Each structure stands twice: as structure tokens, then as C-alpha cells.
Amino acid sequence: MSIEMLGITVLWSFLYGYLIVASIDFGAGFFAYYGRVIGMESIIGPVISRYLSPVWEVTNVFLVFFFVGIVGFFPETAHYYGTSLLIPGSIALVLLSIRGSFYAFANYGAGKSGFYLLAYGATGLLIPASLSTVFTISEGGFLDVRGSSVTLLMEELFFSSYSWAVVLLAMSSVLFISSTFLTYYASRAEDKRAFEQMRFFSLWGGIPTLISSLFVFVALRNHNLEHFDRALRVWWLFGLSLVAFALAVWLIWQKKSLGLAFVLVMLQFAFAFFGYGQSHLPYLLYPDLTIYGGVTNETMGRALVVAFLAGFALLVPSIVLLLRLFLFNAKYVKGELT
Amino acid sequence: MGTVDWSRYLTEMTLAFHILFATVGVGVPVFISLAEWIGIRKKDEHYSLMARRWARGFVITVAVGVVTGTCIGLQLSLLWPEFMRLAGNVVGLPLFLETFAFFFEAIFLGIYLYTWNRFSNPYMHWLLTLPIIIGSSGSALFITTVNSFMNTPQGFELENGQLARIDPIAAMFNPAVPSKVFHVLSSAYLTAAFLLAMIAAFAMLRGRKDEYYRKSIRLNMAAGLLLAVLTIVAGDISAQFLAKKQPEKLAAAEWHFETGKKAPLIVGGRLNPETQEVSGAFEIPWALSLLATHNPDGTVVGLNDFPKDEWPPLYVHYLFDAMVGIGFYLLAVPVIFLALPRLKRWQAYNRWILAAILAGGPLSLLAIELGWFYAEVGRQPWIMRGYMRVSDAATTNTHVNVAFWLFAALYVVLGVVCLYVLGRLFRNKPAELELEARRIIL
């Protein structure tokens, strides 16, 4: 595999990792707040906080990893995305900062406050919306590139149906992924009421996800026909995604094998995400930047790959340990360990 | 004000805010680990409680450190895209490694905080502090190599504006690395020692008398003495490094204009920039030569050897003096504290000593800020010394001022809420109450 392909595959995999863990986190924040509003805080709150407390910090690292990695592997992206995304990027950063720190304030500080929870819940939907802007921009047509200056066309972005389709998909996916995971987690905790509530959310959450993904396809066809054609070439990936989705919903409906159901949801998004990524290539930013034009020199590319492998050898056992101690520890999940 | 200025101010603000939390993040885990270890070894519940209480406050600061670190990480690309476009080719590796170290720390911190009672062997839980220390100090090390690279770039050749023959390892282990990493780590540990002692000193000044506070101060001051010595040694190594590799930075700090032997060290004073005359300063003959070359007769390069458009701003002199002054204060406090009990008539926990320790907390953080401002402003006008000027590296986006105010508001909110939460955490639960609740009555 060439350095370019290896680099983008590593980065894309990390972004996928972020998509899953961050969705669980963002959605959980939203559900925790929503649960409080409808007067059910005591039902789903404990399950959510038991899952989130040991892992909230890890979630953030996936994102940092991605944007540090992309500048390492593809330094040219700094010029295009860095220049144009100043304001949307800053807004996303402010939201992420409020979310991350207020989570700690609320959970490790003294006492639960409604204000912290509101900040935490609201950002759960706003962050995916603001981060998804990057995907929209990567399709081209939203940047004015003249010589060395790069400008983001805010108005184009705001009035584009494609950009709204992506935002809708991002928000509905977050809620869907999160609710299917929490359904599984609540069933492991043998918490019937939380389970019923989350199951209700995940069954209904599937519908907007499905509609908005179709909406994205239609909007992509109007916005970037070239990309749409490439996406059709890997239609089977999107087909598999749909199959995984159907199976997952069926399992949740039947209240059977909820762990498998969540794995299917992960596969659903994996197929769709890698299908989208595959069809996006070779462009990092249509039509200005390809992975071949933006890649770092070969020496650095090799060094990064070696660092990546070494780092991964260190991380995988650590993550397994984390999961075994918390996610897959029946006593902890049921709240019997403090 | 132009885009370049706004970009500089926003970066300065983010880093100045982040560095407070980052320093705590690097230093405090070492002391948590130390206290827990002593607690297990001596079977002294006071120290075990110390580790728990410090860890509780630590999480709050880590959270702010993580989010502001994320901010600066992305701001590098948002505000300095041209720099990242060029330097990303050379410093991608340490940046990447830094996230690995951060990842490692994040995982084990999560585990550490939720497994206090999980293991039958207490040393198992203590072992979890080691990856946290490795992760936090490791990320400090890697990110400092990037900053060092900006001061003494190497590991590449410039051919027609393009980087060629890149050597990532040489770029990472550039000449500024040893002295910088040493100074950064020792000063972070020293700051943590004083911040933790500050909390106990504050409680004692408010009339609390439990042995818990005395043990905390004793531990932190003993470590503080060693760390203050190490920090001053590291500072001395840094000064010699500057004299050799970045003489304009040292010369600006010392208002040393003419290259010459037997150079005096200037403390304080006022400068007339036209005549380059210094008035009202305290002058120590030969000391600068001694500092820079370890030889009172040594030659020190002066600023006039450099073109004027490559001079750093001369106000860095005050930053340097203040940093060094605080450094010696942080050495004096533990020395006096540890020496007093040997003079029979004095007791070590008198009001004056406690007040001096209390002041040491904020002062040590101030010294960190001053030192970083000196290090960063001292390499103006370069972003990559000798290769790229700050003005060529900044974004062309004209909305940096909007981003500046956005982040200013964020930092105000984070700073205020963080202090409030930390204050509440310790005020509502003094150590005595917790000792009682945990049935530790010694």
C-alpha cells in the first residue's frame, strides 16, 4: 500500500472510532438532559453516568488524534482547511471545551447542577452539527481559492441543501448510535426501566437516520455528481450497511442479543462511512487537493507509520483493560462497584 | 490591528491559559503517586487520603487542560496554516507521538479514578499511577521538542522554498531539546509541590491543626527543595545553551548590546533604547559571562551583532528577571522551612512560613508564565528561527478578531467556574471531616 493510502486509511479508521465513541457520548449527554426534562432523570441518568465517567477523556483523544494526524500525513490540508475553517472550527472548539470541562465540573465537582447538565446536553447535538461542516466543505463548491487565499463561502454553505442533509444525518446518527448502545448497556445493567426507555428511543431513532441518509444521497447527486457516480460504484457497501441496520433494528425489536445489535449498528456505520470515504478518494478537498498532492514527504510518512504501529501496540492492550474493567465488568455495569 | 497581531494574541491567550493547567497536569500526578506509595508503605492513612483528595481536584484541572490543549492543537492549523503546511512535514512525528502519550494517560486516569477499592493488593492500584506519569510527562516531552524545533530548526534542507532531505529524528532531537525538556519538567514538578503545599498552608492559616496538613507540607517542601535545585540547574544549562545557539535571545534578556568579555549581569533597571544605556539597574560584574560560559572572562555575543529587524522585543528583560527572582524564592522557602526546626527556638509552622508557602503557589505559576513568555517572545520575529517569520506563517482569514473574543469569553467562563468548583470541593469537605468519615483517627 502506498503511504498516501495507508495514511488516509489510518486516519479514516480513527475518525470512524471517533464517530462511534463520540456519538455514544454526545447522545448520552442529550438523553441525560432530555431524561431530566421529562422527569425521568433517576431512570436513565445512573446508567449513562456509569458508562461515561471512566471514558469521557478518551473520547476526546480520538478527535485530537485525527486532526494532528491529518496535518502530519497531509500538511497541505492545513492551508486549505485551516484557513477556511477558522470560525466554524473555533465554534466547534468552544462547544467541545464547554462540554468536556462541564462534564468534569458536574461529575467530580460538588453537586449536580441543572446548568451544567443543560450545557452538556445541548452541546451534544450542536457539536456533531458543527463538526459535520467539514464533510460538506470537502465536497467542493464552498471555498473560494484564489492564489494563496482561501475563503469560506458562508452563504453558499448556509443555503445548500447538501449541507443541511449532512447536519441532519449527523444529528440523527448520534442519537441512534447512542440509544442502541445505551439499550445494550441498560440490559447488561439489568435495569428494566432504563432499558425500556432506551429501546423506545433506539427504535424511533432509526427512522430519521434512514430518511436523512437517503436525503444525503439525493443532495450529493445534485451537489457533486462525480462523487455520486463513484459512490454508486461501491453500492454494495451501502447495501450491506442497510442490511446491518435492518438486522439491528429487528434484534432490538425482539429484545434479543442486544450486544450483537450494537455490533450491527457499528457495522452499519462502518460500511457507510468507509463506502463514503472510498468514493471520496482521491480527493481530500474537491477539486483542489488530492491525497497525492497533499501528502507529506516519504521519510516522514514512514516515520508516522512506524510511530502509529508502536503506539497502537501500546494502546490496544490499554483499551482492552479499560473495557474489561468497566464496560464488560458485570458488577461494575450493575453499579455494585463504587 | 492586523490578522497577524490577532493571531498572535489569540495564540498567546490560549497558551497562557493552557499552560497553567498543563503544568498542574504534568506535576500533580507525580505527587499523587508519591503520597499513595508512602501511604501504602507506612500504612499511614493520612497519605492515602492525601492521594485521594489531590486526585479529586486533579480531575477538574485535567478536564480544563484537555479541552484547552485540544484548542491549541487545532489552533495551530487554524491560525498558522502556512507554518503547519511547511513544518508539518518535519514535526509531524513528535506531534503524533504526543497524542499517543496523551491517549495513554487518558485511559489510565479513567481506570485509576474508578478502581480505588477494586484490588486486594493496594500496590496494584498504585501501579496505575505510573502510566499516568509516563503519559503526562511524555506528552510534555514530545510537545517541548516541537517548540524546541521552532527555536533551533534542523533535520531538513531548504531548496527553492521546499523542504528536502528530511530527517524526522534529527528534527525531534534538535539542540534546544535537552535543556528545554529538563527545565519544563523540573519546573512543572516544582510548581505542583508548591501548589499542593499552598492548599495545606491555607488550611493551617485558617486554624486547622490536623497532622494531615503538616505531613502534606513536609512532603511537598522536601520534594520542593530538591526540585528547586534541579530547576535552577536546568535554568543554568538553558542559559548556556542560549549563549551558544540563540545568543540574541539571551542578549535581549540581559540588555547586552556589545559583544565582549567580562559581561555584567543586569538586574532590573530602565533602558534608553536610543543610546542603549541602562539606568537604575543592579549590576553584577562578570556575572553574565559566568552565567553564559562558566568563565568570568568568557565572551558573550551582543545584540548589535544582529540586524535590528531580527531583534526580539527588549521588554523580555523584565520577564527574565522576574522568573529568575521567583526561582530563587522557591528555593529559599523550603530551605528555611527545613532549617527552622534545627534552630531550637523556632517552630517550622509559624504564620510567616505558612504565608510564604501560600504565596509560593501563585508565584510558581506566575514564573511558569513569565518563563514561557520570555522563551516565546524572545524568539520574535521568527516562528521557525532563521527560516520563517511569524508574519509569513499567519492565516489570511480576516476574522481572527471574532475568534479571539470567542475564546476570551470561553477562558473567562472556564477559569471562573473551575476555581469555583475547586474551591467548593475542598471547602465543603475539609480533611478532618473526611478522616472522621473514613474512620481514620490516629
Side-chain angles (χ1 to χ4, degrees), chain A residues 96-247:
Chain A
L96 278 168
S97 303
I98 289 178
R99 183 181 174 79
S101 46
F102 276 49
Y103 179 78
F105 295 159
N107 278 271
Y108 304 99
K112 294 246 180 224
S113 140
F115 171 62
Y116 295 150
L117 203 61
L118 171 66
Y120 188 63
T123 49
L125 284 186
L126 293 175
I127 294 170
S130 69
L131 289 180
S132 63
T133 324
V134 183
F135 291 109
T136 312
I137 289 169
S138 75
E139 294 298 337
F142 300 106
L143 293 185
D144 182 20
V145 180
R146 279 185 208 163
S148 66
S149 94
V150 182
T151 324
L152 179 62
L153 308 168
M154 290 293 253
E155 220 164 285
E156 298 270 343
L157 191 66
F158 194 78
F159 290 108
S160 149
S161 57
Y162 180 69
S163 105
W164 287 107
V166 172
V167 166
L168 272 182
L169 180 61
M171 297 207 298
S172 56
S173 308
V174 159
L175 294 180
F176 181 61
I177 294 173
S178 182
S179 58
T180 52
F181 175 80
L182 291 170
T183 307
Y184 161 64
Y185 202 73
S187 82
R188 298 247 324 166
E190 289 170 17
D191 185 336
K192 276 226 164 62
R193 294 207 300 167
F195 169 70
E196 282 303 332
Q197 191 58 45
M198 293 320 301
R199 178 172 168 267
F200 173 81
F201 285 139
S202 54
L203 287 175
W204 284 102
I207 298 168
T209 314
L210 198 64
I211 295 173
S212 53
S213 50
L214 289 175
F215 194 27
V216 165
F217 268 104
V218 177
L220 180 64
R221 193 175 159 194
N222 295 334
H223 186 79
N224 184 342
L225 192 60
E226 209 181 307
H227 185 178
F228 181 76
D229 286 339
R230 280 197 305 270
L232 284 189
R233 262 179 258 157
V234 288
W235 64 269
W236 52 277
L237 279 172
F238 297 102
L240 282 174
S241 169
L242 194 63
V243 172
F245 168 75
L247 285 174

Side-chain angles (χ1 to χ4, degrees), chain B residues 96-106 131 134-136 138-140 142:
Chain B
F96 205 57
L97 289 174
E98 199 253 341
T99 39
F100 270 121
F102 171 37
F103 214 144
F104 198 54
E105 181 196 352
I134 294 171
S136 58
S139 53
F142 290 125

Side-chain angles (χ1 to χ4, degrees), chain B residues 20 45 89 92 155 193 213 236 327 437:
Chain B
L20 299 173
E45 291 286 348
N89 287 297
Y213 301 107
D236 178 61

Side-chain angles (χ1 to χ4, degrees), chain A residues 53-77:
Chain A
S53 300
V55 299
W56 63 272
E57 215 194 334
V58 177
T59 311
N60 208 41
V61 190
F62 278 89
L63 179 67
V64 177
F65 201 101
F66 176 75
F67 66 65
V68 167
I70 198 162
V71 180
F73 272 108
F74 304 101
E76 285 290 308
T77 52

Side-chain angles (χ1 to χ4, degrees), chain B residues 273-292:
Chain B
E274 298 303 314
T275 60
Q276 301 182 346
E277 271 169 18
V278 181
S279 58
F282 180 69
E283 235 176 80
I284 313 172
W286 305 326
L288 182 59
S289 289
L290 200 62
L291 182 74

Side-chain angles (χ1 to χ4, degrees), chain B residues 179-253:
Chain B
S179 56
K180 247 186 205 264
V181 170
F182 184 18
H183 203 39
V184 163
L185 289 180
S186 62
S187 60
Y189 302 150
L190 174 63
T191 303
F194 266 92
L195 286 174
L196 296 170
M198 167 188 84
I199 300 172
F202 181 71
M204 288 191 80
L205 280 171
R206 297 277 298 263
R208 304 249 175 79
K209 292 198 173 69
D210 197 275
E211 185 59 20
Y212 172 89
Y213 301 107
R214 291 163 184 257
K215 283 179 180 164
S216 167
I217 292 180
R218 218 155 41 223
L219 169 66
N220 288 310
M221 282 302 104
L225 176 64
L226 175 71
L227 292 167
V229 171
L230 283 179
T231 305
I232 289 170
V233 169
D236 178 61
I237 295 174
S238 302
Q240 284 177 67
F241 159 78
L242 288 181
K244 262 196 213 107
K245 300 279 180 180
Q246 250 181 315
E248 77 278 16
K249 197 193 251 186
L250 186 68

